[in-house]
Short mmCIF file of all heavy atoms in Angstrom, two decimals:
data_model
loop_
_atom_site.label_atom_id
_atom_site.label_comp_id
_atom_site.label_asym_id
_atom_site.label_seq_id
_atom_site.Cartn_x
_atom_site.Cartn_y
_atom_site.Cartn_z
N ALA A 118 36.26 -22.60 -26.60
CA ALA A 118 37.05 -23.33 -25.60
C ALA A 118 36.20 -23.73 -24.41
O ALA A 118 35.38 -22.95 -23.92
CB ALA A 118 38.22 -22.48 -25.16
N ASP A 120 37.38 -24.11 -21.50
CA ASP A 120 37.83 -23.27 -20.38
C ASP A 120 36.96 -22.02 -20.24
O ASP A 120 36.59 -21.64 -19.14
CB ASP A 120 39.28 -22.81 -20.62
CG ASP A 120 40.25 -23.95 -20.47
OD1 ASP A 120 39.82 -25.01 -19.96
OD2 ASP A 120 41.41 -23.80 -20.88
N LEU A 121 36.66 -21.44 -21.41
CA LEU A 121 35.87 -20.20 -21.39
C LEU A 121 34.47 -20.48 -20.86
O LEU A 121 33.92 -19.72 -20.06
CB LEU A 121 35.81 -19.64 -22.81
CG LEU A 121 35.16 -18.28 -22.98
CD1 LEU A 121 35.86 -17.25 -22.12
CD2 LEU A 121 35.20 -17.85 -24.43
N LEU A 122 33.89 -21.61 -21.30
CA LEU A 122 32.55 -21.97 -20.84
C LEU A 122 32.57 -22.21 -19.33
O LEU A 122 31.69 -21.73 -18.60
CB LEU A 122 32.07 -23.23 -21.56
CG LEU A 122 31.75 -23.05 -23.03
CD1 LEU A 122 31.45 -24.40 -23.67
CD2 LEU A 122 30.55 -22.14 -23.18
N ASN A 123 33.59 -22.97 -18.87
CA ASN A 123 33.67 -23.27 -17.45
C ASN A 123 33.82 -22.01 -16.62
O ASN A 123 33.17 -21.85 -15.59
CB ASN A 123 34.87 -24.20 -17.18
CG ASN A 123 34.57 -25.61 -17.62
OD1 ASN A 123 33.41 -26.00 -17.72
ND2 ASN A 123 35.60 -26.37 -17.89
N GLN A 124 34.67 -21.11 -17.11
CA GLN A 124 34.90 -19.89 -16.36
C GLN A 124 33.62 -19.06 -16.27
O GLN A 124 33.27 -18.54 -15.23
CB GLN A 124 36.01 -19.08 -17.01
CG GLN A 124 36.28 -17.79 -16.27
CD GLN A 124 37.44 -17.03 -16.87
OE1 GLN A 124 38.56 -17.51 -16.88
NE2 GLN A 124 37.16 -15.87 -17.39
N SER A 125 32.90 -19.01 -17.43
CA SER A 125 31.66 -18.23 -17.42
C SER A 125 30.64 -18.84 -16.47
O SER A 125 29.91 -18.13 -15.78
CB SER A 125 31.08 -18.17 -18.82
OG SER A 125 32.05 -17.71 -19.71
N LYS A 126 30.62 -20.18 -16.43
CA LYS A 126 29.72 -20.84 -15.48
C LYS A 126 30.12 -20.50 -14.06
O LYS A 126 29.26 -20.25 -13.21
CB LYS A 126 29.77 -22.36 -15.68
CG LYS A 126 28.84 -22.86 -16.78
CD LYS A 126 28.76 -24.38 -16.73
CE LYS A 126 28.91 -24.94 -18.11
NZ LYS A 126 29.19 -26.38 -18.14
N ALA A 127 31.42 -20.51 -13.81
CA ALA A 127 31.89 -20.23 -12.46
C ALA A 127 31.54 -18.80 -12.04
O ALA A 127 31.28 -18.53 -10.87
CB ALA A 127 33.39 -20.46 -12.37
N PHE A 128 31.50 -17.90 -13.01
CA PHE A 128 31.06 -16.53 -12.71
C PHE A 128 29.60 -16.50 -12.31
O PHE A 128 29.14 -15.56 -11.72
CB PHE A 128 31.23 -15.62 -13.93
CG PHE A 128 32.62 -15.10 -14.11
CD1 PHE A 128 33.18 -14.98 -15.36
CD2 PHE A 128 33.37 -14.71 -13.01
CE1 PHE A 128 34.46 -14.50 -15.53
CE2 PHE A 128 34.66 -14.23 -13.17
CZ PHE A 128 35.20 -14.13 -14.42
N GLY A 129 28.86 -17.53 -12.71
CA GLY A 129 27.45 -17.60 -12.34
C GLY A 129 26.52 -17.49 -13.53
O GLY A 129 25.31 -17.34 -13.35
N ALA A 130 27.06 -17.55 -14.76
CA ALA A 130 26.19 -17.43 -15.94
C ALA A 130 25.28 -18.65 -16.03
O ALA A 130 25.73 -19.78 -15.83
CB ALA A 130 27.04 -17.32 -17.19
N ASN A 131 24.01 -18.43 -16.32
CA ASN A 131 23.11 -19.58 -16.53
C ASN A 131 23.17 -19.98 -18.00
O ASN A 131 23.81 -19.34 -18.82
CB ASN A 131 21.69 -19.25 -16.08
CG ASN A 131 21.11 -18.05 -16.82
OD1 ASN A 131 21.43 -17.83 -17.98
ND2 ASN A 131 20.28 -17.28 -16.14
N GLN A 134 22.21 -17.41 -20.63
CA GLN A 134 23.23 -16.38 -20.82
C GLN A 134 24.41 -16.92 -21.60
O GLN A 134 24.99 -16.24 -22.44
CB GLN A 134 23.69 -15.85 -19.46
CG GLN A 134 22.63 -14.97 -18.81
CD GLN A 134 22.91 -14.71 -17.35
OE1 GLN A 134 23.54 -15.53 -16.68
NE2 GLN A 134 22.42 -13.59 -16.84
N LEU A 135 24.78 -18.19 -21.33
CA LEU A 135 25.88 -18.79 -22.07
C LEU A 135 25.57 -18.83 -23.55
O LEU A 135 26.40 -18.51 -24.39
CB LEU A 135 26.13 -20.23 -21.58
CG LEU A 135 26.86 -20.39 -20.26
CD1 LEU A 135 27.08 -21.86 -19.97
CD2 LEU A 135 28.20 -19.68 -20.31
N GLN A 138 25.05 -14.93 -24.98
CA GLN A 138 26.16 -13.98 -24.93
C GLN A 138 27.50 -14.57 -25.31
O GLN A 138 28.44 -13.85 -25.61
CB GLN A 138 26.23 -13.38 -23.52
CG GLN A 138 25.13 -12.33 -23.37
CD GLN A 138 24.75 -12.07 -21.94
OE1 GLN A 138 25.02 -12.88 -21.07
NE2 GLN A 138 24.09 -10.96 -21.71
N LEU A 139 27.58 -15.89 -25.31
CA LEU A 139 28.87 -16.51 -25.60
C LEU A 139 28.79 -17.37 -26.86
O LEU A 139 29.48 -17.14 -27.84
CB LEU A 139 29.27 -17.37 -24.39
CG LEU A 139 30.75 -17.55 -24.17
CD1 LEU A 139 31.41 -16.22 -23.95
CD2 LEU A 139 30.98 -18.47 -22.99
N PRO A 142 27.22 -15.52 -30.39
CA PRO A 142 28.13 -14.64 -31.13
C PRO A 142 29.38 -15.35 -31.63
O PRO A 142 29.87 -15.04 -32.71
CB PRO A 142 28.49 -13.54 -30.13
CG PRO A 142 28.00 -13.99 -28.82
CD PRO A 142 26.97 -15.02 -29.03
N LEU A 143 29.88 -16.32 -30.87
CA LEU A 143 31.12 -16.97 -31.29
C LEU A 143 30.90 -17.98 -32.42
O LEU A 143 31.81 -18.27 -33.17
CB LEU A 143 31.78 -17.68 -30.11
CG LEU A 143 32.45 -16.75 -29.10
CD1 LEU A 143 33.02 -17.53 -27.93
CD2 LEU A 143 33.56 -15.95 -29.77
N GLN A 227 39.87 -5.76 -38.12
CA GLN A 227 40.16 -4.38 -37.79
C GLN A 227 40.22 -4.18 -36.28
O GLN A 227 41.08 -3.48 -35.77
CB GLN A 227 39.10 -3.46 -38.37
CG GLN A 227 39.43 -3.05 -39.79
CD GLN A 227 38.25 -2.42 -40.47
OE1 GLN A 227 37.26 -2.10 -39.83
NE2 GLN A 227 38.35 -2.23 -41.76
N GLN A 228 39.30 -4.87 -35.59
CA GLN A 228 39.29 -4.73 -34.15
C GLN A 228 40.58 -5.29 -33.55
O GLN A 228 41.06 -4.84 -32.53
CB GLN A 228 38.09 -5.49 -33.57
CG GLN A 228 36.79 -4.74 -33.78
CD GLN A 228 35.60 -5.65 -33.68
OE1 GLN A 228 35.74 -6.85 -33.47
NE2 GLN A 228 34.42 -5.10 -33.81
N ARG A 229 41.12 -6.31 -34.23
CA ARG A 229 42.28 -6.98 -33.65
C ARG A 229 43.61 -6.42 -34.13
O ARG A 229 44.64 -6.65 -33.54
CB ARG A 229 42.21 -8.47 -34.00
CG ARG A 229 41.50 -9.26 -32.91
CD ARG A 229 40.80 -10.46 -33.47
NE ARG A 229 39.39 -10.40 -33.12
CZ ARG A 229 38.46 -11.20 -33.63
NH1 ARG A 229 38.77 -12.08 -34.52
NH2 ARG A 229 37.22 -11.08 -33.26
N SER A 230 43.57 -5.67 -35.25
CA SER A 230 44.84 -5.32 -35.88
C SER A 230 45.54 -4.16 -35.18
O SER A 230 46.67 -3.84 -35.50
CB SER A 230 44.60 -4.96 -37.34
OG SER A 230 43.79 -3.80 -37.39
N GLN A 231 44.88 -3.51 -34.23
CA GLN A 231 45.48 -2.34 -33.61
C GLN A 231 46.47 -2.71 -32.51
O GLN A 231 46.96 -1.89 -31.79
CB GLN A 231 44.39 -1.46 -33.01
CG GLN A 231 43.49 -0.87 -34.07
CD GLN A 231 42.15 -0.48 -33.51
OE1 GLN A 231 42.01 -0.35 -32.30
NE2 GLN A 231 41.17 -0.31 -34.35
N LYS A 232 46.71 -3.98 -32.37
CA LYS A 232 47.56 -4.46 -31.30
C LYS A 232 48.98 -3.91 -31.40
O LYS A 232 49.56 -3.90 -32.45
CB LYS A 232 47.60 -5.98 -31.37
CG LYS A 232 48.27 -6.61 -30.16
CD LYS A 232 48.02 -8.10 -30.16
CE LYS A 232 48.78 -8.74 -29.03
NZ LYS A 232 48.50 -10.14 -28.94
N LEU C 47 37.02 -28.58 -11.93
CA LEU C 47 37.30 -28.84 -13.34
C LEU C 47 37.90 -30.22 -13.57
O LEU C 47 38.11 -30.63 -14.70
CB LEU C 47 38.24 -27.77 -13.89
CG LEU C 47 37.74 -26.33 -13.72
CD1 LEU C 47 38.80 -25.32 -14.17
CD2 LEU C 47 36.46 -26.13 -14.51
N LEU C 71 29.20 -25.76 -11.06
CA LEU C 71 30.25 -24.74 -11.06
C LEU C 71 29.70 -23.38 -10.65
O LEU C 71 30.36 -22.62 -9.95
CB LEU C 71 30.88 -24.63 -12.45
CG LEU C 71 31.67 -25.82 -12.96
CD1 LEU C 71 32.29 -25.50 -14.31
CD2 LEU C 71 32.75 -26.22 -11.97
N SER C 72 28.48 -23.11 -11.12
CA SER C 72 27.94 -21.77 -10.88
C SER C 72 27.59 -21.55 -9.41
O SER C 72 27.42 -20.42 -8.98
CB SER C 72 26.70 -21.57 -11.76
OG SER C 72 25.80 -22.61 -11.54
N LYS C 75 31.30 -20.67 -6.78
CA LYS C 75 32.01 -19.40 -6.72
C LYS C 75 33.50 -19.60 -6.42
O LYS C 75 34.08 -18.89 -5.61
CB LYS C 75 31.38 -18.47 -5.69
CG LYS C 75 29.97 -18.07 -6.08
CD LYS C 75 29.75 -16.61 -5.82
CE LYS C 75 28.99 -15.97 -6.96
NZ LYS C 75 28.96 -14.53 -6.87
N ALA C 76 34.06 -20.62 -7.03
CA ALA C 76 35.49 -20.84 -6.94
C ALA C 76 36.06 -20.51 -8.31
O ALA C 76 35.73 -21.17 -9.29
CB ALA C 76 35.79 -22.29 -6.59
N LEU C 77 36.86 -19.45 -8.41
CA LEU C 77 37.34 -19.01 -9.72
C LEU C 77 38.79 -19.40 -9.92
O LEU C 77 39.65 -19.09 -9.11
CB LEU C 77 37.19 -17.49 -9.84
CG LEU C 77 35.75 -17.01 -9.90
CD1 LEU C 77 35.71 -15.50 -9.98
CD2 LEU C 77 35.04 -17.62 -11.11
N TYR C 78 39.01 -20.11 -11.03
CA TYR C 78 40.36 -20.55 -11.36
C TYR C 78 40.91 -19.65 -12.46
O TYR C 78 40.28 -19.50 -13.51
CB TYR C 78 40.31 -22.00 -11.82
CG TYR C 78 41.57 -22.48 -12.47
CD1 TYR C 78 42.68 -22.79 -11.70
CD2 TYR C 78 41.66 -22.60 -13.84
CE1 TYR C 78 43.86 -23.21 -12.28
CE2 TYR C 78 42.83 -23.03 -14.45
CZ TYR C 78 43.93 -23.33 -13.66
OH TYR C 78 45.09 -23.74 -14.24
N VAL C 84 41.87 -16.51 -19.60
CA VAL C 84 40.77 -16.95 -20.46
C VAL C 84 39.78 -15.80 -20.58
O VAL C 84 39.15 -15.41 -19.61
CB VAL C 84 40.08 -18.18 -19.85
CG1 VAL C 84 38.86 -18.56 -20.67
CG2 VAL C 84 41.06 -19.34 -19.76
N LEU C 85 39.69 -15.25 -21.80
CA LEU C 85 38.81 -14.10 -22.01
C LEU C 85 37.93 -14.34 -23.23
O LEU C 85 38.26 -15.17 -24.08
CB LEU C 85 39.67 -12.84 -22.23
CG LEU C 85 40.52 -12.43 -21.04
CD1 LEU C 85 41.60 -11.45 -21.47
CD2 LEU C 85 39.68 -11.83 -19.94
N MET C 86 36.84 -13.60 -23.29
CA MET C 86 35.93 -13.77 -24.43
C MET C 86 36.47 -12.99 -25.63
O MET C 86 36.60 -11.77 -25.56
CB MET C 86 34.55 -13.26 -24.08
CG MET C 86 33.84 -14.17 -23.10
SD MET C 86 32.37 -13.41 -22.43
CE MET C 86 33.01 -12.66 -20.96
N PRO C 87 36.80 -13.68 -26.73
CA PRO C 87 37.46 -13.00 -27.86
C PRO C 87 36.59 -11.94 -28.52
O PRO C 87 37.11 -11.07 -29.20
CB PRO C 87 37.75 -14.15 -28.83
CG PRO C 87 36.88 -15.27 -28.42
CD PRO C 87 36.63 -15.11 -26.97
N HIS C 88 35.27 -11.99 -28.33
CA HIS C 88 34.39 -11.09 -29.06
C HIS C 88 33.91 -9.92 -28.22
O HIS C 88 33.02 -9.20 -28.63
CB HIS C 88 33.20 -11.87 -29.60
CG HIS C 88 32.37 -12.48 -28.51
ND1 HIS C 88 32.87 -13.39 -27.62
CD2 HIS C 88 31.07 -12.31 -28.18
CE1 HIS C 88 31.92 -13.75 -26.78
NE2 HIS C 88 30.82 -13.12 -27.10
N LYS C 89 34.48 -9.74 -27.02
CA LYS C 89 34.03 -8.65 -26.15
C LYS C 89 35.22 -7.74 -25.81
O LYS C 89 36.34 -8.21 -25.64
CB LYS C 89 33.46 -9.22 -24.85
CG LYS C 89 32.27 -10.15 -25.04
CD LYS C 89 30.98 -9.39 -25.23
CE LYS C 89 29.81 -10.35 -25.26
NZ LYS C 89 28.63 -9.78 -25.88
N LEU C 97 29.93 -8.01 -18.16
CA LEU C 97 29.28 -9.32 -18.21
C LEU C 97 29.54 -10.10 -16.92
O LEU C 97 28.63 -10.71 -16.36
CB LEU C 97 29.80 -10.13 -19.40
CG LEU C 97 28.97 -10.05 -20.67
CD1 LEU C 97 29.53 -10.97 -21.72
CD2 LEU C 97 27.52 -10.38 -20.39
N ALA C 98 30.78 -10.05 -16.43
CA ALA C 98 31.11 -10.75 -15.19
C ALA C 98 30.25 -10.22 -14.07
O ALA C 98 29.71 -10.98 -13.24
CB ALA C 98 32.59 -10.57 -14.87
N HIS C 100 27.34 -8.76 -14.37
CA HIS C 100 25.95 -9.14 -14.64
C HIS C 100 25.70 -10.59 -14.27
O HIS C 100 24.72 -10.92 -13.60
CB HIS C 100 25.68 -8.89 -16.12
CG HIS C 100 24.32 -9.31 -16.57
ND1 HIS C 100 23.17 -8.76 -16.06
CD2 HIS C 100 23.92 -10.22 -17.48
CE1 HIS C 100 22.12 -9.31 -16.64
NE2 HIS C 100 22.56 -10.22 -17.50
N TRP C 101 26.60 -11.47 -14.71
CA TRP C 101 26.41 -12.90 -14.47
C TRP C 101 26.43 -13.24 -12.99
O TRP C 101 25.69 -14.08 -12.52
CB TRP C 101 27.51 -13.70 -15.20
CG TRP C 101 27.30 -13.79 -16.67
CD1 TRP C 101 26.15 -13.52 -17.34
CD2 TRP C 101 28.26 -14.16 -17.65
NE1 TRP C 101 26.33 -13.70 -18.67
CE2 TRP C 101 27.62 -14.10 -18.90
CE3 TRP C 101 29.60 -14.54 -17.60
CZ2 TRP C 101 28.27 -14.41 -20.09
CZ3 TRP C 101 30.25 -14.85 -18.78
CH2 TRP C 101 29.59 -14.78 -20.02
N SER C 102 27.32 -12.57 -12.26
CA SER C 102 27.46 -12.91 -10.84
C SER C 102 26.53 -12.06 -9.97
O SER C 102 26.54 -12.16 -8.76
CB SER C 102 28.90 -12.72 -10.40
OG SER C 102 29.30 -11.40 -10.70
N TYR C 124 39.90 -5.20 -27.51
CA TYR C 124 39.56 -6.62 -27.47
C TYR C 124 40.73 -7.41 -26.89
O TYR C 124 41.87 -6.94 -26.95
CB TYR C 124 39.23 -7.12 -28.88
CG TYR C 124 37.89 -6.63 -29.37
CD1 TYR C 124 37.77 -5.41 -30.02
CD2 TYR C 124 36.75 -7.39 -29.15
CE1 TYR C 124 36.54 -4.95 -30.45
CE2 TYR C 124 35.51 -6.94 -29.57
CZ TYR C 124 35.43 -5.72 -30.22
OH TYR C 124 34.20 -5.28 -30.63
N SER C 126 42.52 -9.74 -27.94
CA SER C 126 43.67 -9.99 -28.81
C SER C 126 44.54 -8.75 -28.98
O SER C 126 45.64 -8.83 -29.49
CB SER C 126 43.18 -10.47 -30.17
OG SER C 126 42.23 -9.55 -30.67
N GLN C 127 44.02 -7.60 -28.54
CA GLN C 127 44.82 -6.36 -28.65
C GLN C 127 45.60 -6.07 -27.37
O GLN C 127 46.32 -5.10 -27.30
CB GLN C 127 43.88 -5.18 -28.95
CG GLN C 127 43.22 -5.28 -30.31
CD GLN C 127 42.10 -4.29 -30.45
OE1 GLN C 127 41.09 -4.39 -29.77
NE2 GLN C 127 42.26 -3.32 -31.33
N LEU C 128 45.41 -6.92 -26.37
CA LEU C 128 46.06 -6.69 -25.08
C LEU C 128 47.32 -7.53 -24.97
O LEU C 128 47.41 -8.62 -25.55
CB LEU C 128 45.12 -7.07 -23.94
CG LEU C 128 43.78 -6.34 -23.86
CD1 LEU C 128 42.94 -6.93 -22.73
CD2 LEU C 128 44.00 -4.86 -23.63
N GLN C 140 38.21 -9.06 -13.35
CA GLN C 140 36.95 -9.71 -13.68
C GLN C 140 36.57 -10.70 -12.57
O GLN C 140 35.42 -10.77 -12.14
CB GLN C 140 37.18 -10.48 -14.98
CG GLN C 140 35.97 -10.66 -15.81
CD GLN C 140 36.32 -11.44 -17.07
OE1 GLN C 140 37.49 -11.73 -17.35
NE2 GLN C 140 35.32 -11.77 -17.84
N ALA C 141 37.56 -11.44 -12.08
CA ALA C 141 37.30 -12.42 -11.05
C ALA C 141 36.88 -11.73 -9.75
O ALA C 141 35.96 -12.19 -9.06
CB ALA C 141 38.54 -13.28 -10.81
N ALA C 144 33.32 -10.69 -9.55
CA ALA C 144 32.35 -11.76 -9.32
C ALA C 144 32.28 -12.17 -7.86
O ALA C 144 31.51 -13.07 -7.52
CB ALA C 144 32.72 -12.97 -10.19
#
Side-chain angles (χ1 to χ4, degrees):
Chain A
D120 289 348
L121 186 57
L122 290 173
N123 284 337
Q124 180 176 297
S125 307
K126 275 190 226 166
F128 279 141
N131 58 33
Q134 287 166 332
L135 283 183
Q138 283 157 341
L139 208 61
L143 286 177
Q227 272 167 12
Q228 284 160 359
R229 267 150 237 169
S230 64
Q231 294 158 18
K232 189 168 175 177
Chain C
L47 304 174
L71 293 184
S72 54
K75 295 223 138 190
L77 292 178
Y78 167 77
V84 175
L85 296 164
M86 289 168 267
H88 62 300
K89 300 279 186 200
L97 265 185
H100 176 61
W101 284 344
S102 56
Y124 286 88
S126 53
Q127 294 168 294
L128 300 176
Q140 208 180 354

